[in-house]
Structure formats: structure tokens, C-alpha cells
Amino acid sequence: MCGLCLPRCPTYLKTGDENESPRGRIALMRAMAVGDLPVNARLESHIDLCLACRTCENVCPSKVEYGVLLEAGRAILAAKRPHRPLTRFVSHIALDWLIARPQNLRVVARLLRFYQRSGAQRLLRAAGMFGLPGMARLDGALPPIGAGGRWREIYPAFGETRARIMLFTGCVAGVADRDTLNATVHVLTRLGYEVQIPSVQTCCGALHLHAGQRATAETLMHQNLVAFAKSAEPSDAAGGNLPIIHAASGCGATLAEYARHLPGKPEAQVFVDRLVDVNRFIAKVVWPENVRLAPLAKTIAVHDPCSLRNVLHGQQWPYTLLRQIPRARVVELSTNEICCGGAGAYPITEPHMAEKLRADKLEAIHDLAPDILVSTNLGCALHLQAGLRQQGSRLEVIHPIVLLERQLRWPGNPE
């Protein structure tokens, strides 16, 4: 309750309201839990406006686990809030029918791809058909949907197989960020690693946790534990010990806390111990002698997602990896300690605060004037890209692995 976290809290910095600070929200959630405060729209607004960026945890001298408290508070809020049929229906469609079911997500992705490539999106925009509240914002945030489909179970290594790894693809990233996942597979296989992608893996559970749906989140977590418990190669008895690579730091932050979410499950701790961020993994391995990186005389700005900085504590690895590119100038944004506002569904549920936070990032990007902007989290990248697009900027926002793949060279591919 000392308040040392207040100068680092994004929402408090914007509002100056104690109710929008970690200290204030803890007091509100405690009062709600014991029945001293009724659940109403005003209380909900204070809890919902929290980004769950967990910057407060990094500066707390008492090591208060704010993320744990917030998850518990939101679960209580979800159970006690007034019954709203339309809200629950939309939540059911978005989270349970879509996010938790990869097959349904792939169908929707194909429809969105047709919508973009057929010219329908361009015609609707020109006709001003996005006048409804939020529709233009949703359409503007929609990334180009590439060709998708099911992943293969095994992607063999180029040349001699040095080792095997397993790849977590996630839910939304599997359809909205195929470029990053394809680049991850390509780089790893070119470096001599066989990549295995379990077909029955699912969402990490983050979106359900943030919505207070803890039971569903735990169901998804159990499914992932089973999916990654054995190798896709039946003859490999050590499949359960293979490293699990994740490319999206937002997913990785949730995956890394499975042991906390599933206490009493030793397999959850085994799962966590196997997790490795893709930037860290590639930066630390010894590369084959015939694989190199082509020079790139450009300025690369790095945006640190809160998930990578505050939960995974691995913000240094994208810099380490990108500085291996000859002649590249790798710099960090001056506002990296404050959330960009692209926290999961936050730009949709809390658009006004999300835009205020993004404005600071866009100003920092404008001042730095980089040639390329990289971020390890899909939500951040989409949020920033949408803002840049609104400003008329053509600055590209990509994952570090995508940039690394572009510079990858080997015999037969010298250019």
C-alpha cells in the first residue's frame, strides 16, 4: 500500500485517479470480496480499465503479486456482475466458440481472407458502411489474413537434424500472424532443428483469465499439457522433454505460469521448465557454419511488450538477436516502460484508454523515425500498426523472427 507503483501505472498516469491505480484497485477488490462494496457499473469500470500489464509488480518493494489478485478479483466480478444476456452471448461466441476452438477460428479466418481479397473491405470502407460504434475501429485493426490451413505435425530439419523442438502456435496468432510462425519454423529448420507442432494444442487461456472465466482457462491449460506431453514422433520416447518454443510473448507469459494456475499438477511445472522464448532460443544456439545473416543498414526500433518485460523478464533477447545482423542499428523506444494499450482485447473493450496510451508510443516512434519497428507480441503489433496506418505512415511492424528470416542466407540463397 506504499504507492511506489503509481508513477508506473499507465491508467493512473492518464487519469490521476487513485481508483485507477494498483493500490486503489486492490482496495476495491478486497471490499468487493468481503461484501463491503456492491458490484455495479462504476466498480466494474475501475477493474476493467486495468491493462494487467503488471509493471507494478516490477517496482513493488513488497513483491505483491498483483496479477494473482487481479485474476481473483475478475473471477469474483464475473460471478457477481448483473446478468446481461447480450454481453454473455457475445462473450460466448468470441471466447468459447471461436478462441477455444481452433477449427472454428480457421473457418472465420478463411471468410475474413475472402472479405479482404475480394475487394469487399475496400468497397465497404469507400461507401462509409462502418458508421456503427466500434465497427470502423475493428476493421482498421484487422491485419491482412494470409493463406492458412492446418499445420503439419512435423517439419524436418534441413540437412542433419541437430535436435527436435516443439512449437506453440496459439489461437489468434495461428491465423492472424502466420508470417511469424512460418518464419519461426523456417529459421529453426534451417538451423538444423526438427519442428513438431502438436495438432491438439489450443489457446493458452489468457483471454479467458482476463475475462474472469477461470474454469474454462484451466480446461484449455490441461489440454495443452496433454498436447505437449509427448513427441509427434512415436519412436521418440523422450518427447515429453523436448523444448517448447513460443513466439508470442503474450501467450508465453500465460504459459510460463501454468504451474501457478494448476497447483498440485507436477506435469504443469515440467511444462513450464520446457518453455523457451524463440528469441532467446535462437540467440543462444550455435549456428551452422554455412548459414549467415546478410547486412541491413537500417534503424530497427524495438518495442518491449509488457508480457516480455514484466512477466517473462526476457526483454533483452530481441536486442541480442537483432544485433547479430551486420550493420543494423538496434534501438529501444523511449516509452518502453509503459504499456502501449494493446493488451489482448483491451483495444476493443477499452478503446479510449488504449488510444491515449498508443498516442504516446506513436509520438516516440515519430521522434525516433526508425526504418522498421519490431515487437514480440501480436496484440501490441496490431495495435501499433493500426495507429500508424491512421496517421498515414507506412512503417512496418513485424516480429524480430520475421526480420531475421529475411536476412537469412545459406548456400543456394546468397541474395
Side-chain angles (χ1 to χ4, degrees):
M1 305 299 288
C2 66
L4 289 177
C5 55
L6 269 64
R8 297 293 185 89
C9 176
T11 52
Y12 178 78
L13 288 175
K14 288 299 180 185
T15 65
D17 186 345
E18 181 76 34
N19 292 304
E20 308 300 353
S21 72
R23 179 171 63 181
R25 290 189 177 106
I26 288 174
L28 291 174
M29 291 187 291
R30 180 167 56 188
M32 175 185 65
V34 299
D36 289 343
L37 274 181
V39 174
N40 54 34
R42 185 176 179 183
L43 175 61
E44 286 186 63
S45 68
H46 294 312
I47 306 304
D48 289 344
L49 197 63
C50 180
L51 292 133
C53 68
R54 294 169 64 173
T55 303
C56 50
E57 291 188 11
N58 273 356
V59 298
C60 180
S62 299
K63 306 299 180 184
V64 173
E65 295 182 323
Y66 178 79
V68 176
L69 300 177
L70 182 64
E71 289 167 8
R74 284 180 167 169
I76 295 173
L77 195 62
K80 289 187 175 183
R81 63 166 42 109
H83 182 69
R84 297 173 183 169
L86 180 59
T87 301
R88 292 194 177 187
F89 175 74
V90 172
S91 176
H92 171 71
I93 293 296
L95 294 179
D96 301 333
W97 186 83
L98 196 59
I99 298 298
R101 299 176 184 270
Q103 66 274 21
N104 294 342
L105 197 58
R106 286 193 292 268
V107 172
V108 172
R110 286 195 289 269
L111 294 174
L112 289 174
R113 177 173 167 79
F114 175 78
Y115 161 71
Q116 291 178 332
R117 295 177 66 86
S118 66
Q121 183 183 45
R122 184 175 61 255
L123 290 174
L124 289 175
R125 285 179 175 178
M129 298 296 289
F130 293 114
L132 293 175
M135 288 299 295
R137 186 182 299 110
L138 286 173
D139 180 71
L142 185 65
I145 305 297
R150 291 182 175 274
W151 298 97
R152 285 156 39 194
E153 287 271 339
I154 298 178
Y155 291 83
F158 284 90
E160 182 180 355
T161 301
R162 302 171 64 185
R164 296 182 175 90
I165 62 95
M166 306 180 91
L167 178 64
F168 180 82
T169 56
C171 51
V172 176
V175 297
D177 200 20
R178 295 283 291 212
D179 286 349
T180 294
L181 293 171
N182 285 333
T184 298
V185 171
H186 187 204
V187 171
L188 288 169
T189 53
R190 181 56 66 179
L191 294 181
Y193 291 89
E194 178 188 282
V195 178
Q196 301 183 5
I197 303 181
S199 60
V200 293
Q201 64 175 291
T202 186
C203 172
C204 65
L207 293 176
H208 288 83
L209 277 176
H210 295 164
Q213 299 183 20
R214 187 171 185 84
T216 305
E218 290 179 357
T219 299
L220 297 174
M221 294 175 188
H222 281 291
Q223 185 172 336
N224 283 324
L225 293 185
V226 173
F228 286 90
K230 58 182 179 179
S231 170
E233 176 57 56
S235 63
D236 187 356
N241 296 321
L242 298 181
I244 301 172
I245 306 296
H246 59 82
S249 58
C251 296
T254 300
L255 298 172
E257 297 191 331
Y258 269 21
R260 174 171 68 79
H261 293 304
L262 302 172
K265 294 283 185 180
E267 60 269 32
Q269 185 60 57
V270 173
F271 178 91
V272 170
D273 292 341
R274 295 166 57 197
L275 285 173
V276 188
D277 173 76
V278 66
N279 300 281
R280 178 181 180 179
F281 185 86
I282 295 177
K284 294 185 71 173
V285 300
V286 177
W287 286 36
E289 293 183 359
N290 63 347
V291 179
R292 61 181 179 84
L293 292 170
L296 182 67
K298 292 186 176 182
T299 298
I300 305 166
V302 180
H303 166 260
D304 296 348
C306 299
S307 49
L308 188 64
R309 172 184 284 268
N310 301 327
V311 183
L312 296 173
H313 305 291
Q315 67 269 23
Q316 73 274 23
W317 294 111
Y319 298 89
T320 302
L321 185 65
L322 293 173
R323 283 172 179 150
Q324 295 183 20
I325 301 176
R327 299 179 62 189
R329 177 174 175 256
V330 183
V331 296
E332 63 176 319
L333 289 181
S334 59
T335 56
N336 268 344
E337 292 185 353
I338 299 296
C339 183
C340 70
Y346 196 88
I348 299 173
T349 60
E350 303 291 341
H352 300 297
M353 180 59 72
E355 290 172 4
K356 287 181 179 180
L357 295 170
R358 182 175 64 188
D360 295 338
K361 296 287 181 179
L362 296 180
E363 182 178 353
I365 293 169
H366 180 268
D367 292 343
L368 191 57
D371 299 295
I372 302 170
L373 178 64
V374 301
S375 178
T376 62
N377 190 51
L378 174 61
C380 301
L382 293 180
H383 187 50
L384 294 173
Q385 189 75 81
L388 290 165
R389 193 183 302 117
Q390 289 176 11
Q391 293 184 342
S393 172
R394 295 186 177 182
L395 180 65
E396 193 176 24
V397 186
I398 57 176
H399 195 285
I401 298 302
V402 174
L403 182 57
L404 195 78
E405 185 204 23
R406 292 179 184 177
Q407 302 307 113
L408 206 62
R409 300 292 183 269
W410 61 88
N413 179 34
E415 299 298 330

